[in-house]
Amino acid sequence: MSNPYKDAGVNVESGYKISKFVKNNISSNSDNIGNFGGMYEIPEGYKQPVLISSNDGVGTKLLLTLENNKLDTIGIDCVAMCVNDILAQGAKPLYFLDYISTGKVDGKVEQILKGVIEGCHQAGADLIGGETAEMPDVYSEISYDIAGFSVGIAEKSQVLQASNVKTGDSLIGIASSGLHSNGYSLVRKIFFKDNNFKMDSQLPELTHGNLGDYLLEPTRIYSDEILPLLEKNLVHGISHITGGGFFENVPRMFTDKIAAQIDVQNWKMPEIFDALQKYGNLSKADMYHIFNMGLGLVLAVSPDVEQEVLSILNGKTKQAYSIGKIIERTDEPVELLGVE
């Protein structure tokens, strides 16, 4: 029997296999997979529940997964970029849906989905659906793109608003796992176009692996760190440091009448940023305008609870640092001490 759709380059049977793979690899809500829409029952116990949503992708970082033939962690990045934004508004992640498009649905999609499933596990979110699109002529057989959509929940009175952050609040930074998923167009230009490095290059600045190991380190997911603080109402504001670095993202958590004063000497910066600055001939100001510089989240808390928050965050390992305070604004919204 002829199959005209398959003759055009689309094999719907591959999509059925992907749905079966996901069902067999998640522990809850598997009945949703393969339906026309994902279903989720709003948890009880909220007086005025507010749903907070986020969608995002991973940018050109995905190109490096093809070069290094490592596809099983990029899904973690996709989940992280969505749920960390939700956490930054004081919400608990509930569920996630993915969208993967490619020229040919084959084994690479299962590898990508392994990362999505792991990311949902780390986030404490259910994977309730998604879409895998086979689009020949739009993509080559090996290329792909991935995006995600996530929803979280918060009590309306506890949503983190810009007005919550006040002059005198202390700023706490929580360590990133490296570059996360931002700035990769510049990263690729610096390392691969301007300096002709390879993914397996061993750089003297990078002491724990080759260049590819650092560039494909998955974005950190902060559910385990942030949710206990939210439950105790210990946080006034959270900034997720993504594209645009400190100067774009930190002011998003407070009003335009105040500013953040941050001492950049107060935390340990991962080696990858030293390498980028050196080989890219970038100024310190450029670095803080583009990258997270070793901090994935910046929290604003009352000085009365600063030590309590640090104690909670640093219970198992040193990952959080006192980095500054909120001051009255006289000039720019972010003042970085030690950066010209």
Side-chain angles (χ1 to χ4, degrees):
M1 181 178 178
S2 65
N3 189 332
Y5 205 10
K6 189 174 182 178
D7 292 342
V10 178
N11 185 1
V12 295
E13 295 295 330
S14 299
Y16 303 150
K17 291 178 181 178
I18 293 301
S19 293
K20 184 177 181 181
F21 170 82
V22 175
K23 282 187 175 184
N24 291 338
N25 284 275
I26 61 175
S27 58
S28 61
N29 285 310
S30 62
D31 289 343
N32 271 318
I33 305 300
N35 291 339
F36 291 103
M39 183 169 55
Y40 198 94
E41 186 173 354
I42 295 177
E44 296 181 352
Y46 290 87
K47 296 178 180 178
Q48 286 185 290
V50 176
L51 297 179
I52 297 176
S53 58
S54 177
N55 68 302
D56 211 337
V58 297
T60 59
K61 183 175 184 176
L62 63 82
L63 294 175
L64 301 184
T65 67
L66 296 171
E67 291 186 27
N68 217 45
N69 194 29
K70 182 174 175 57
L71 301 169
D72 60 348
T73 59
I74 197 69
I76 299 175
D77 291 285
C78 190
V79 175
M81 296 305 292
C82 294
V83 301
N84 286 342
D85 278 351
I86 288 172
L87 291 166
Q89 289 195 247
K92 176 182 179 181
L94 292 179
Y95 60 84
F96 181 85
L97 298 95
D98 65 87
Y99 174 81
I100 300 171
S101 51
T102 181
K104 183 178 181 180
V105 175
D106 52 20
K108 68 176 173 294
V109 175
E110 291 186 4
Q111 291 299 307
I112 296 166
L113 284 169
K114 285 182 180 179
V116 172
I117 293 167
E118 172 59 23
C120 288
H121 174 72
Q122 293 181 21
D126 287 325
L127 178 62
I128 66 167
E131 169 70 7
T132 302
E134 190 169 51
M135 298 194 293
D137 300 332
V138 176
Y139 299 92
S140 71
E141 288 192 0
I142 64 170
S143 65
Y144 73 94
D145 196 7
I146 179 172
F149 173 82
S150 189
V151 170
I153 191 169
E155 193 70 68
K156 186 175 182 179
S157 62
Q158 296 176 338
V159 173
L160 299 181
Q161 308 278 3
S163 58
N164 294 355
V165 181
K166 307 293 184 182
T167 302
D169 277 354
S170 298
L171 296 175
I172 293 173
I174 307 180
S176 70
S177 55
L179 288 167
H180 284 182
S181 300
N182 302 107
Y184 272 79
S185 293
L186 178 59
V187 169
R188 291 168 46 248
K189 177 180 181 295
I190 290 172
F191 286 133
F192 305 123
K193 294 181 181 179
D194 296 345
N195 290 278
N196 295 315
F197 294 134
K198 305 297 182 183
M199 289 289 279
D200 61 357
S201 293
Q202 301 283 341
L203 306 187
E205 296 79 13
L206 306 179
T207 61
H208 300 294
N210 61 32
L211 180 58
D213 294 330
Y214 282 80
L215 298 187
L216 291 181
E217 181 69 27
T219 304
R220 186 175 176 186
I221 294 173
Y222 293 95
S223 292
D224 288 346
E225 289 73 27
I226 296 303
L227 291 178
L229 303 180
L230 296 176
E231 290 173 3
K232 294 185 176 183
N233 295 315
L234 293 175
V235 181
H236 289 170
I238 301 175
S239 174
H240 181 200
I241 310 300
T242 56
F246 283 70
F247 290 95
E248 180 177 328
N249 290 292
V250 171
R252 294 170 67 180
M253 69 172 167
F254 50 72
T255 67
D256 58 7
K257 295 182 179 180
I258 55 181
Q261 185 182 72
I262 297 173
D263 189 339
V264 302
Q265 304 299 317
N266 285 13
W267 71 91
K268 182 176 176 60
M269 189 173 63
E271 297 170 328
I272 187 63
F273 297 104
D274 289 325
L276 274 168
Q277 185 173 1
K278 174 183 175 180
Y279 293 107
N281 194 28
L282 300 173
S283 69
K284 280 190 175 181
D286 286 335
M287 296 292 290
Y288 284 91
H289 269 287
I290 300 168
F291 302 111
N292 70 58
M293 301 302 286
L295 298 181
L297 297 181
V298 172
L299 280 55
V301 304
S302 168
D304 297 337
V305 302
E306 179 181 5
Q307 291 306 312
E308 180 182 357
V309 172
L310 286 169
S311 178
I312 292 172
L313 291 172
N314 292 328
K316 294 181 180 180
T317 184
K318 179 71 172 180
Q319 63 168 340
Y321 308 87
S322 294
I323 64 170
K325 60 184 178 180
I326 296 294
I327 60 174
E328 291 185 7
R329 181 172 176 179
T330 58
D331 190 12
E332 298 299 322
V334 177
E335 178 184 341
L336 296 183
L337 304 179
V339 176
E340 298 296 333

